[in-house]
């Protein structure tokens, strides 16, 4: 069988197919060799080329490629940028990313420009293992934790939330309204911004979200709503195009005038540089934050070169230097070029998915084998970039220093810096606060951050119109205008406070029905503020817990507390026995006992040596009582001779002096001052007795009394002080329970008939009512404090209470003196008297110890005691050698006993006593011995010794 030859056309087909396969494989392998054998590194770029930021960033990226390889000409890799236009929307960015991954098979994508675009593109990067590196998508909702192949070479927006919060805190603004674009970019920062505000106790009453493609009518509607609010501090976070439209309309609506504060995030701060005078004219006085870029010589040279290149491509542009996004784009290209060189591209492959799919289909996206290494290399890359230090932490650029700028005239002026964690400093002089800021409208002072009421409106102040206590609040007729006007203490205080606050005028509105009566209770009046019928309430409104649930109160401007008003009776006794009242029974008894005890001690000591304390028993008893009680008026005539008795008398006279003075003062008070005592002392007594209790109508007292266990049937409402008086006088009620300011007014009118007991329940006094979270609360409270410290408040209170002084029950209460107040004095005199008595008796027994030793054991105790009593009763012989003192002389009793030999101790004592000289003889002998020029002829035999007495006694027994 003949062999057929091979078809030449078929061979040519195989050859072409083989070459195509080889070229295709080489292309899919990661780029062909460039000039001089260098490897091409394909990188995609997705930008919105219709925006200024996109154009600036693109020019900076191209310059970065040229500059990098001009410096690093020996590198083996060369980055090739593949530019795609997103068209400004997420769909365009996604289509561009698919095209770059499928058709170009890029190894990295720089961009996209917006956060809303990046949220989808980063998912494609994860699928293809291609790093997505964005230098302008700053939303905190985008992070490497959600997408490991996403990296942000820009500051996270959560960082500037701290900067803005520090500015708010710097000027002590308490409310802020965020105004943001309603997309991924705008919503991403909100949780972080709100959280930072909460940390510094700043309230966010409203969040203003504006659609990305909002029309002028939509923006105008939202601004009108903001204009009607009291908050005047706005934080704007949106794109440049939308931001310019917002500020232009806001200026037309008069919202960039005095009192307003506008702060922009750094996505909008550079709008003046981008759009020139139109933006500057619309944003005069606006504060902005942006990353600080140090102007180095390298950056200055770059700006000069960039300006020349950019203006050649955009001859009508007014931009003079690249904004921070352009610098970040420049540094991003450098970081990618460094990482690509480190990884190397000789053996890279890009695994292609199912080639049957369309090149624009997501399913056809392949996978980069070099992606993980490239991602890691970029994350560890560090260098000093054009915008500062390039260092990624957790997949995003490390935040450093921010600058705070102020839009003034045709440009921006730097007024300070912010460095982590929360430090603000000035640029020129100040270290701890910003330089002078030119605010919208150029006011002389820092805006207070709120306006209430808003322009063109007056505050509507609700006023109660109930009768009762006109001193606090009442309705008078103006003699000039013939209109009803509120008057009273509460109005005086409110107007005095408001005079020092430069706010819009206010007008009063009475809370009354068609008949001119109070249109409800005080709780209902307060609730009108919550319903926004009134902007505030001024009157005798008490600060209590349940009211503060839906309104805010200022600091109280009156005395606080609820007390009880009861009648008083004069319980003083002005009868024949009133002189006994100054001292209590126990003090009377103690005084009498110590009077007698002191007289007894003096008699015991003086009896043997002082003739004034001798005589018949009845005479001696009278002497003791007379001497002790006469010391009460210091009229005792008896002379005391012993030093011991003198000590007793001196101490006792001091006690008597104190007792006498205290008694006199107490008796005088009781006889001259009314003893006013309340008929009821506490609320529990009223509850126990089932008494009726009165209170002021339309007040919160019923709820309070019910909580204190009063029955509703026992509560009676009254409308005026006169009704209070009538009810208490005729016994309809046993007490009135009301607030202390009311009761003081009542007591001034009915002084001396009633008294206040308590306070029994604490309240916060009267305060002015404002809506919840109203900035006026702190302002008016500060004004109240200043007023309370001024002399003017004293004048206002004098108009309320007058100069009358009504003595209260506590001030007139006098009580009897008790033993408890004087027990220390009685202790002193008792100890002194007892000590002197013990010393005297010890001395007496010691001097007569011979008689005690001579007692016969058979003698009874009573016989011995009788012997001592008779011995003590004898008058002691005075010593001639010592004038004024008495010294006992030993009697020759035992000698007689020894001679007789047969006498017992009892008979000896009787004999001894009978043989003593009489008192007259002793006195006569004393006179003779003391007479001048006379000699003492009397001789007494020496007493026998104790041994002689024993010998004589033995002989007698034998």
């Amino acid at each position: 069988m003949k062999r057929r030859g091979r078809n030449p056309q078929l061979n040519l087909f195989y050859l072409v197919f083989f070459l195509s396969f080889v070229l295709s494989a080489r292309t899919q392998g990661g780029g062909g060799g460039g000039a001089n054998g260098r490897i091409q590194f394909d990188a995609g770029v997705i930008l919105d080329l219709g925006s200024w930021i996109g154009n600036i960033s693109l020019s900076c990226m191209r310059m970065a490629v040229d500059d990098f390889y001009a410096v690093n000409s020996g590198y083996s890799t060369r980055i090739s940028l593949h530019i795609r236009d997103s068209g400004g929307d997420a769909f365009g960015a996604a289509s561009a990313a698919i095209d770059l991954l499928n058709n170009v098979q890029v190894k990295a994508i720089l961009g996209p420009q917006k956060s809303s675009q990046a949220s989808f593109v980063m998912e494609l990067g994860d699928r293809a293992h291609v790093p997505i590196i964005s230098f302008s998508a700053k939303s905190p909702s985008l992070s490497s934790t959600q997408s490991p192949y996403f990296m942000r070479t820009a500051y996270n927006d959560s960082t500037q939330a701290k900067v803005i919060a520090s500015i708010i805190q710097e000027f002590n603004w308490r409310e802020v309204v965020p105004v943001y674009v309603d997309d991924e970019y705008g919503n991403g920062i909100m949780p972080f911004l709100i959280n930072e505000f909460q940390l510094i106790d700043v309230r966010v009453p409203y969040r203003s979200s504006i659609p990305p493609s909002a029309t002028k009518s939509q923006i105008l509607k939202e601004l009108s709503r903001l204009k009607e609010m009291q908050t005047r501090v706005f934080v704007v976070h949106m794109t440049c195009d939308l931001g310019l439209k917002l500020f232009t309309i806001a200026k037309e609506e008069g919202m960039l005038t005095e009192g307003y504060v506008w702060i922009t995030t750094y996505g909008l701060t550079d709008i003046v540089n981008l759009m020139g005078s139109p933006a500057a004219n619309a944003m005069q006085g606006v504060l902005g934050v942006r990353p600080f870029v140090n102007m180095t010589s390298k950056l200055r040279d770059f700006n000069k070169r960039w300006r020349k290149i950019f203006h050649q491509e955009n001859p009508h542009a007014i931009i003079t230097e690249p904004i921070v996004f352009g610098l970040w784009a420049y540094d991003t290209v450098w970081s990618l070029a460094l990482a690509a060189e480190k990884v190397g591209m000789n053996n890279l492959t890009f695994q292609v998915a199912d080639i049957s799919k369309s090149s624009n289909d997501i399913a056809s996206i392949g996978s980069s084998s070099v992606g993980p290494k490239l991602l890691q290399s970029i994350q560890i890359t560090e260098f000093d970039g054009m915008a500062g230090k390039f260092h990624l932490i957790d997949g995003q650029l490390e935040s450093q220093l921010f600058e705070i700028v102020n839009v003034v005239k045709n440009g921006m002026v730097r007024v300070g810096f912010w460095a982590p964690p929360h430090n603000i400093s000035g640029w020129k002089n100040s270290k701890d606060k910003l330089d002078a800021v030119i605010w919208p409208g150029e006011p002389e002072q820092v805006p207070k951050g709120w306006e209430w009421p808003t322009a063109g409106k007056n505050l509507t102040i609700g006023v109660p119109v109930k009768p009762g206590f006109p001193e606090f609040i009442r309705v008078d007729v103006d003699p000039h205008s013939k209109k009803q006007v509120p008057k009273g203490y509460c109005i005086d205080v409110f107007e005095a406070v408001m005079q020092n606050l430069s706010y819009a005028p206010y007008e009063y509105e009475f809370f009354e029905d068609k008949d001119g009566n109070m249109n409800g209770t005080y709780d209902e009046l307060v609730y009108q503020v919550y319903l926004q019928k009134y902007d505030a309430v001024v009157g005798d409104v008490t600060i209590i817990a349940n009211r503060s649930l839906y309104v805010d109160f200022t600091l109280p401007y009156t005395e606080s507390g609820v007390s009880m008003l009861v009648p008083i009776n004069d319980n003083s006794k002005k009868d024949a026995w009133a002189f006994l009242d100054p001292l209590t029974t126990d003090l009377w008894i103690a005084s009498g006992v110590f009077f007698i005890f002191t007289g007894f001690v003096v008699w015991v000591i003086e009896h043997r040596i002082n003739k004034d304390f001798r005589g018949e028993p009845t005479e001696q008893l009278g002497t003791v009582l007379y001497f002790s009680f006469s010391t009460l008026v210091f009229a005792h005539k008896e002379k005391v001779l012993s030093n011991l008795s003198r000590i007793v008398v001196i101490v006792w006279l001091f006690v008597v002096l104190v007792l006498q003075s205290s008694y006199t003062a107490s008796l005088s008070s009781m006889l001259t001052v009314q003893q006013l005592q309340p008929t009821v002392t506490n609320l529990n007594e009223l509850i126990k007795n089932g008494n009726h209790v009165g209170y002021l109508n339309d007040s919160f007292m019923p709820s309070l009394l019910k909580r204190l266990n009063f029955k509703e049937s026992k509560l009676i409402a009254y409308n005026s002080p006169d009704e209070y008086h009538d009810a208490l006088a005729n016994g309809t009620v046993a007490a009135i329970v009301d607030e202390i300011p009311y009761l003081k007014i009542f007591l001034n009118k009915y002084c001396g008939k009633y008294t206040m007991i308590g306070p029994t329940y604490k309240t916060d006094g009267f305060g002015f009512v404002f809506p919840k979270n109203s900035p006026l609360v702190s302002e008016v409270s500060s004004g109240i404090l200043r007023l309370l410290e001024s002399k003017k408040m004293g004048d206002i209170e004098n108009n309320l209470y007058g100069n009358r002084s009504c003595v209260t029950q506590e001030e007139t209460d006098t009580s009897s003196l008790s033993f408890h107040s004087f027990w220390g004095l009685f202790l002193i005199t008792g100890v002194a008297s007892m000590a002197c008595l013990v010393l005297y008796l010890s001395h007496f027994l010691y001097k007569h110890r011979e008689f005690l030793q001579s007692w016969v054991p058979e003698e009874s105790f009573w016989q011995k005691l009788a012997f001592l009593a008779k011995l003590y009763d004898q008058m002691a012989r005075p010593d001639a050698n010592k004038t004024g003192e008495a010294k006992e002389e030993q009697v020759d009793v035992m000698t007689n006993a020894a001679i007789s030999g047969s006498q017992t101790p009892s008979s000896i004592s009787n004999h001894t006593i009978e043989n003593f000289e009489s008192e007259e003889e002793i006195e006569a002998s004393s006179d003779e011995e003391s007479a001048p020029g006379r000699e003492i002829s009397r001789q007494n035999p020496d007493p026998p010794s104790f041994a002689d007495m024993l010998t004589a006694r033995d002989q007698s027994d034998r």
Side-chain angles (χ1 to χ4, degrees), residues 93 386 531 569 589 615 671 710 743 793 834 897:
M386 200 64 70
L531 297 178
N569 296 325
I589 294 174
L671 295 179
F710 278 92
L743 299 184
M793 190 64 183
M834 186 60 69

Side-chain angles (χ1 to χ4, degrees), residues 505-774:
Y506 51 87
E507 57 186 10
Y508 296 108
E509 184 175 313
F510 297 107
F511 185 59
E512 60 183 357
D513 55 19
K514 60 181 180 179
D515 298 325
N517 300 319
M518 185 80 166
N519 193 22
T521 64
Y522 272 66
D523 287 339
E524 293 171 339
L525 171 60
V526 171
Y527 196 67
Q528 302 304 309
V529 176
Y530 176 77
L531 297 178
Q532 299 182 359
K533 180 180 179 181
Y534 297 141
D535 296 318
V537 167
V538 173
D540 49 348
V541 181
T542 306
I543 304 171
I544 55 178
N546 65 325
R547 293 173 180 172
S548 63
L549 296 176
Y550 45 90
V551 295
D552 279 346
F553 287 91
T554 63
L555 291 176
Y557 56 90
T558 62
E559 187 175 357
S560 62
V562 172
S563 189
M564 182 171 61
L565 184 73
V566 297
I568 53 177
N569 296 325
D570 187 2
N571 295 330
S572 60
K573 297 178 180 179
K574 298 180 181 179
D575 52 14
W577 302 101
F579 68 91
L580 296 175
D581 293 337
L583 306 183
T584 58
T585 303
D586 58 350
L587 185 55
W588 276 118
I589 294 174
S591 300
V593 169
F594 273 87
F595 269 109
I596 297 174
F597 174 69
T598 303
F600 170 75
V601 171
V602 173
W603 176 82
V604 170
I605 297 174
E606 295 287 328
H607 177 67
R608 304 191 72 245
I609 61 174
N610 194 336
K611 65 180 181 179
D612 291 337
F613 290 88
R614 301 190 60 81
E616 296 296 328
T618 55
E619 294 179 0
Q620 295 183 52
L621 178 62
T623 300
V624 170
L625 296 177
Y626 173 78
F627 176 82
S628 60
F629 284 98
S630 63
T631 58
L632 184 63
V633 292
F634 308 102
H636 53 285
K637 65 182 183 64
E638 293 80 6
K639 183 179 180 181
V640 292
L641 302 179
S642 174
N643 288 333
L644 294 177
S645 57
R646 289 170 181 169
I647 293 174
V648 173
V649 172
I650 289 174
V651 175
W652 174 245
L653 288 177
F654 172 72
V655 175
V656 169
L657 177 63
V658 175
L659 281 175
Q660 184 188 51
S661 302
S662 302
Y663 174 84
T664 303
S666 180
L667 180 63
S668 300
S669 176
M670 289 183 172
L671 295 179
T672 57
V673 180
Q674 286 185 328
Q675 303 300 299
L676 305 178
Q677 298 295 330
T679 57
V680 181
T681 57
N682 57 68
L683 289 175
N684 293 329
E685 186 177 346
L686 295 173
I687 299 173
K688 181 179 179 181
N689 298 333
N691 299 120
H692 286 83
V693 175
Y695 65 91
L696 187 62
N697 197 15
D698 293 334
S699 69
F700 68 97
M701 288 301 154
S703 59
L704 169 62
L705 294 172
K706 290 176 184 178
R707 290 198 302 270
L708 297 175
N709 298 323
F710 278 92
K711 295 181 180 179
E712 188 173 2
S713 59
K714 300 296 182 180
L715 306 180
I716 303 176
Y718 296 102
N719 293 315
S720 67
D722 294 335
E723 293 184 8
Y724 280 2
H725 170 66
D726 295 338
L728 291 170
N730 59 31
T732 304
V733 295
I736 297 292
V737 177
D738 210 338
E739 295 178 80
I740 291 177
Y742 294 131
L743 299 184
K744 282 189 172 182
I745 294 294
F746 179 86
L747 290 176
N748 276 347
K749 186 174 183 179
Y750 298 98
C751 184
K753 298 180 180 180
Y754 305 95
T755 188
M756 223 174 7
I757 301 296
T760 57
Y761 184 80
K762 290 290 185 180
T763 60
D764 285 335
F766 297 163
F768 302 129
V769 184
F770 290 95
K772 270 287 185 183
N773 302 307
S774 171

Side-chain angles (χ1 to χ4, degrees), residues 437-490:
V437 177
I438 304 299
W439 303 101
E442 300 186 10
E444 296 181 357
Q445 298 179 344
V446 176
K448 60 180 180 290
W450 56 273
E451 181 181 353
W452 195 60
T454 53
K457 297 182 180 179
N458 294 338
L459 288 174
T460 302
I461 310 297
V463 179
V465 292
K466 74 178 187 64
F469 289 86
E471 293 85 355
F472 289 102
I473 191 74
R474 65 182 182 274
V475 180
D476 289 348
V477 178
D478 191 309
H480 302 290
S481 63
K482 305 301 180 182
K483 295 181 179 180
Q484 290 183 331
V485 292
K487 294 290 183 180
Y489 174 77
C490 300

Side-chain angles (χ1 to χ4, degrees), residues 741-817:
Y742 294 131
L743 299 184
K744 282 189 172 182
I745 294 294
F746 179 86
L747 290 176
N748 276 347
K749 186 174 183 179
Y750 298 98
C751 184
K753 298 180 180 180
Y754 305 95
T755 188
M756 223 174 7
I757 301 296
T760 57
Y761 184 80
K762 290 290 185 180
T763 60
D764 285 335
F766 297 163
F768 302 129
V769 184
F770 290 95
K772 270 287 185 183
N773 302 307
S774 171
L776 268 179
V777 174
S778 60
E779 296 289 331
V780 176
S781 295
S782 299
I784 290 174
L785 291 178
R786 289 191 293 269
L787 180 64
L788 291 175
E789 297 172 357
S790 67
K791 182 180 178 181
K792 188 173 184 179
M793 190 64 183
D795 297 335
I796 295 176
E797 289 187 345
N798 286 336
N799 293 334
L800 174 65
Y801 298 115
N803 294 321
R804 298 182 58 186
S805 178
C806 186
V807 181
T808 61
Q809 182 265 336
E810 289 82 0
E811 295 171 339
T812 61
D813 185 23
T814 57
S815 57
S816 300
L817 302 175

Side-chain angles (χ1 to χ4, degrees), residues 62-135:
R62 286 172 173 168
M63 290 182 66
V65 174
D66 296 337
D67 293 347
F68 182 83
Y69 291 111
V71 175
N72 304 287
S73 58
Y75 279 17
S76 60
T77 56
R78 286 293 185 269
I79 289 181
S80 177
L81 300 178
H82 300 269
I83 313 302
R84 297 291 185 273
D85 186 3
S86 66
D89 56 47
F91 178 78
S95 299
I98 295 173
D99 175 56
L100 291 170
L101 292 173
N102 280 335
N103 300 324
V104 183
Q105 297 179 353
V106 294
K107 308 309 178 292
I109 294 179
L110 305 182
Q113 185 174 319
K114 297 180 180 179
S115 298
S116 58
Q117 301 167 351
S119 61
F120 181 74
V121 174
M122 60 195 290
E123 295 182 6
L124 298 177
D126 291 343
R127 184 185 183 105
H129 293 177
V130 172
I132 307 298
I133 312 170
S134 178
F135 53 84

